[in-house]
Every structure is written in structure tokens, then in C-alpha cells.
Amino acid sequence: MDNEKITRRGLLSGAGQAALGLGMMGASGLTPVYGAQNGRAAHDYGVNFGEEAFLPKRVSAQEKVNVALIGCGGQGMSNLNTFIARPDVNVVAVCDPDAKHMGKAAITVEDKTDKAPAQIKDFRKLLERKDIDLVINATPDHWHALVAISAFQAGKDIFTEKPISHDIVEGRQMVNHATKLKRVVQVGTWQRSLQQFLDATAYVRSGKLGKINLCRAWKVQDPNAAVMGKETTKAIPAELDYDLWVGPAAMVPYQDNRCHYKFRWYFNFAGGMTGDWGVHMIDTVLQGMNATDDFVMPTKVMSLGGKFFSGADDDRTTPDTQIALIEFPGWMLQWEVHVGNTKTGPNGLAAAGATGRDHGALFIGSQGSVLVDRTGWSIFDAAGNPVEKPAPIDMGQKMSGLPAHVAELIASTKSRGTTRANIASMHKTTTICHLANLAYQAQNVLHWDAAKEVVTNDPKAMKNLSYQREYRKGWTLPKA
């Protein structure tokens, strides 16, 4: 497809007041707002503090990394601003099938760097450019695999958003291609670069909690963001190439309530809250319960839930209420999603002041418990009393979420080292999230063979969307 050219003046003046209003609606993606009460996604929590500590002081032209952004929505803009802040990064191109999203990203780059990036609607055309070293993959979930694999094949390193894949089969192919082609990948699970998560999981690994038989992880969704309502088909906005946006997914008529941000709540495009937040909180549990990030995988998974808050007539297809029980050798994980009322979260430590948390991971041991979320972490003894925390891990400087995550990626592209949120490890975390959704879709307790990545007791379950999908005509998942 041809390059999309939108000048800054043309975007702001030619589109009129209505278009300008749509353009400004994305401003919260430029300056993330704290709190699920705003109905935003996981990336809106704490991504922009402490950036200066991770920026190089002097950079030669030869040391700069040329970066392109694919996917210019809220998540893409959040990532873009962190990359732009680095003096060792040049943003040379932006890409999106929505011309308004792409135009806003181009304006941001030009305003902050005085250089206008190329605007390219089709990611395949963008990847043909030889001057691009690294790609930010901030597309909707159903696009992550194809964009990433295409980038690997084009010789690009990548920062790819979570969950890495739409389904388990896609994730395996992403790992295979990245390994075969020796590409550096950082997955956008920046909690792995946030100090309190590093400290909390290190404490759990120390063994001081005694025997841990049960862990809990959860996310409470804002009621205002949970309801999609019932909409009818409408005309596709002129600025959106909807056929390209749908890509390999099954074609469905355009509706506002299942495009852009809201795609998360449809199995055709994503994995609901389990895919959106499970990869963060379940990953934290796995980090604590394993000595390395080569995680031991579960043997059985079951999950129940439904649209108990939004209602049966709501257009969303993923559950707004879901509980998954995941059995590992020697311990269990309970994953919970519900809507509203953080005061009744499943942390089990209300007496210790642990209420009011809309997300978290809890490790329950015979000698005490550890609770961690994005506000900090706490230790409790076996009676539920607070315990003084040890000093933070000395990692040279305080780790600070997305800025540290991006800094490590840039360094790894030069050293060719393994990143903190590498794709092989994050495929394991993401597979567990997909298994929770797969058990929900199959309505069965699934027995999992981790070595073969197959369900052994119910092969028909693997025909569901969280395991694999049939690509729409014209699109193919490359195999490696």
C-alpha cells in the first residue's frame, strides 16, 4: 500500500472541529493517568516517572538506534514518548491503518525532535526500509504475532506489547522465529523492571515465607470500562482502513464498541482482562515461585465465569467475571477478574490494611505472606502482622518500570544479550493466560502437556480461539 502523508497543518486545520476533538481524545495516551477508575489499560500505571536516570549523557550519531512505531493508539503513544525521550533513539517512521492515529503520532515525533517521521499505513511497506533497527509493536493483540515475525524476518529487533500473542500457537511461532533469526525482543511487561516487584519476588524466592501452597492474583475492572453495550453496524470512518485493521482475524462488521481500545474485550481480537492484565500479575507470581524465568508450567487448568456484570445482551465476548484455578507441581494459583468494588479483593489480608487494591499478587506461605502491586509491596507474618521490609536490591540504580525496560532493550540490541522480559519466558506466562481462557471456552478441566504444548484429555478444546485460529484469506502465520 502507498505511504500515507498527513501534514501537521492539514491534520489540524483540514479535518475540522470534529476531527480535532477526536485527535485530542488521545491526549491521556501522551500523559498516562494513574488509576483503573479512568477505564484505561495496564500501561497507564506509573510508566513515566524517573526517566532521567536511564538516559545516556552523550551519544554519537553512530550509536543512535533508528526506531519505528507500528500501532499508534494509546499504548503505542505511551511507548513512543518513552523512546523519544532517549537521546540515543531516532524515530524515523510511524505506522497505523487509522490515519488520525498515525497523524497524531507523527505530530508528537516532530514536536519533540524537530524531525518529521515517515507515515506508512501498511506495516509490510515499513519493514522494507533498511534504515530501521528496531520496531515498537503496539498493535492490537490479534496483530502481535504477524507484525513481530515479519519484523524478525526483516532483520529488526523489537519491543512488542503484551500479551505477545492472540493464542498459544502464535506464541510458539514467535519464539521459534526469534530464536532462529537471533533477534532481540523485549516484551512490554515492564513490571519486570519495577523495583518493588524485583524486591518482592526476590524475597519470596529466599524461602522466608516457608512452604507456599497457594498464590492469588487478580484485577478489578472499572465498571465504566466493562460495559460495551449493544451496538449496530455503522459506516467505517473514512480515516480507517478497516480491512487492514482486522487483518488475520475473522471479518466482522465495523462497530465503535469493538475497535481500537475496546478490541480487548472480544475473543476474535484479544483475551479479555485475563490477556490484558493476567500477563502482568500472573507473571509476578511465576517470578516469585521459580528460581529463574524458565518457569515450571502447570499440569491442570480450570476456569469459570461469564458476563455477569455487563449482561448477556452486551456485545463483549470475553467474561467480565472469571476465576481460574491453575495447578502446578506442589502449589496452586487462583486468578480472579471481577468488576468494581476493590474493597473485596481476594487478598485475604483485610485486617492488615490490604484492602482497596484493584490488582495484586499474593504469596501465601506457612511462615507469612507477601503482597505486591504497583503501589508497593508488603510482608506479613503468619498471624497477618506487618513485617519490616529488607533494603531494596542493589542493581546500581533504582529500577523504574518502562524507562528502565526500554533502557535495557536498547543496551541489549547492542550487546545482543537476553532481555529481562525475553520472548521465551513471556511465552510461558502468556500461555498460562491463554490456558485460563481456553478452559473457560471449553468448559472443562484441561490437562496440559507443557513439552508438547497440547491438551491431553480434551483435544477438541484446542479448536477454540485461545489455542489457535484460522487466519482470514490473504493472511498466513509463518512456521519455523
Side-chain angles (χ1 to χ4, degrees), residues 164-462:
I164 65 163
S165 58
H166 172 270
D167 52 68
I168 293 171
V169 169
E170 282 189 348
R172 169 46 54 197
Q173 290 305 319
M174 293 172 76
V175 174
N176 289 353
H177 280 87
T179 302
K180 178 181 178 180
L181 298 171
K182 296 180 171 58
R183 304 323 308 166
V184 175
V185 184
Q186 182 84 294
V187 180
T189 46
W190 50 264
Q191 281 182 187
R192 287 197 179 191
S193 294
L194 195 57
Q195 189 69 48
Q196 65 255 37
F197 288 92
L198 293 165
D199 292 335
T201 53
Y203 187 89
V204 173
R205 287 180 177 184
S206 74
K208 294 178 181 178
L209 296 181
K211 181 69 175 76
I212 301 174
N213 299 323
L214 177 66
C215 296
R216 292 174 176 151
W218 67 94
K219 179 67 180 85
V220 181
Q221 188 172 14
D222 171 18
N224 294 323
V227 177
M228 299 301 102
K230 196 74 175 177
E231 291 189 0
T232 57
T233 301
K234 63 183 298 185
I236 300 169
E239 68 274 8
L240 176 64
D241 184 334
Y242 184 63
D243 182 74
L244 182 57
W245 186 90
V246 173
M251 176 56 74
V252 291
Y254 175 82
Q255 293 178 191
D256 286 339
N257 70 347
R258 61 185 173 208
C259 194
H260 292 327
Y261 174 81
K262 295 179 179 179
F263 72 83
R264 290 166 170 82
W265 318 129
Y266 297 85
F267 280 127
N268 188 37
F269 303 120
M273 191 60 82
T274 296
D276 197 46
W277 269 85
V279 290
H280 286 298
M281 305 320 303
I282 291 175
D283 187 60
T284 295
V285 171
L286 298 175
Q287 287 275 303
M289 295 300 292
N290 290 269
T292 71
D293 64 8
D294 185 14
F295 303 142
V296 175
M297 294 296 281
T299 56
K300 295 179 184 178
V301 181
M302 66 176 294
S303 181
L304 296 174
K307 299 191 294 184
F308 300 145
F309 182 87
S310 56
D313 290 335
D314 193 270
D315 283 337
R316 68 178 291 161
T317 60
T318 62
D320 56 42
T321 307
Q322 184 179 11
I323 293 178
L325 299 178
I326 306 164
E327 182 178 304
F328 296 82
W331 64 283
M332 288 189 65
L333 166 63
Q334 176 186 304
W335 164 250
E336 178 178 321
V337 170
H338 71 270
V339 179
N341 194 352
T342 59
K343 299 299 181 183
T344 55
N347 52 66
L349 293 171
T355 58
R357 298 175 185 268
D358 69 0
H359 67 285
L362 175 67
F363 302 85
I364 304 171
S366 58
Q367 302 300 315
S369 301
V370 161
L371 175 66
V372 59
D373 68 4
R374 292 180 178 179
T375 67
W377 69 291
S378 303
I379 306 170
F380 304 91
D381 63 21
N385 300 310
V387 176
E388 185 177 355
K389 292 197 290 273
I393 299 171
D394 182 8
M395 301 191 70
Q397 58 186 347
K398 186 175 178 64
M399 306 304 286
S400 186
L402 187 57
H405 216 50
V406 171
E408 195 216 18
L409 169 61
I410 298 299
S412 295
T413 63
K414 299 171 182 178
S415 69
R416 311 313 294 171
T418 301
T419 56
R420 184 172 291 112
N422 61 86
I423 195 165
S425 174
M426 286 311 308
H427 171 58
K428 289 195 167 190
T429 295
T430 308
T431 292
I432 293 171
C433 298
H434 289 323
L435 284 172
N437 280 333
L438 189 64
Y440 169 81
Q441 292 164 358
Q443 290 291 286
N444 198 2
V445 179
L446 303 183
H447 295 210
W448 183 243
D449 183 328
K452 296 179 180 179
E453 293 190 339
V454 296
V455 176
T456 58
N457 68 314
D458 184 4
K460 291 182 179 179
M462 295 186 293

Side-chain angles (χ1 to χ4, degrees), residues 17-88:
Q17 291 298 317
L20 181 62
L22 285 172
M24 294 300 103
M25 190 168 64
S28 62
L30 304 182
T31 307
V33 180
Y34 187 92
Q37 67 274 13
N38 297 294
R40 306 301 299 165
H43 65 276
D44 285 331
Y45 284 80
V47 297
N48 282 340
F49 54 84
E51 293 188 23
E52 295 78 7
F54 304 97
L55 302 181
K57 305 303 179 187
R58 296 174 184 170
V59 181
S60 68
Q62 293 75 22
E63 292 177 300
K64 292 192 175 185
V65 177
N66 287 338
V67 173
L69 171 65
I70 302 176
C72 303
Q75 184 71 68
M77 294 302 292
S78 179
N79 294 331
L80 178 66
N81 278 282
T82 298
F83 277 86
I84 287 177
R86 299 189 59 85
D88 54 357

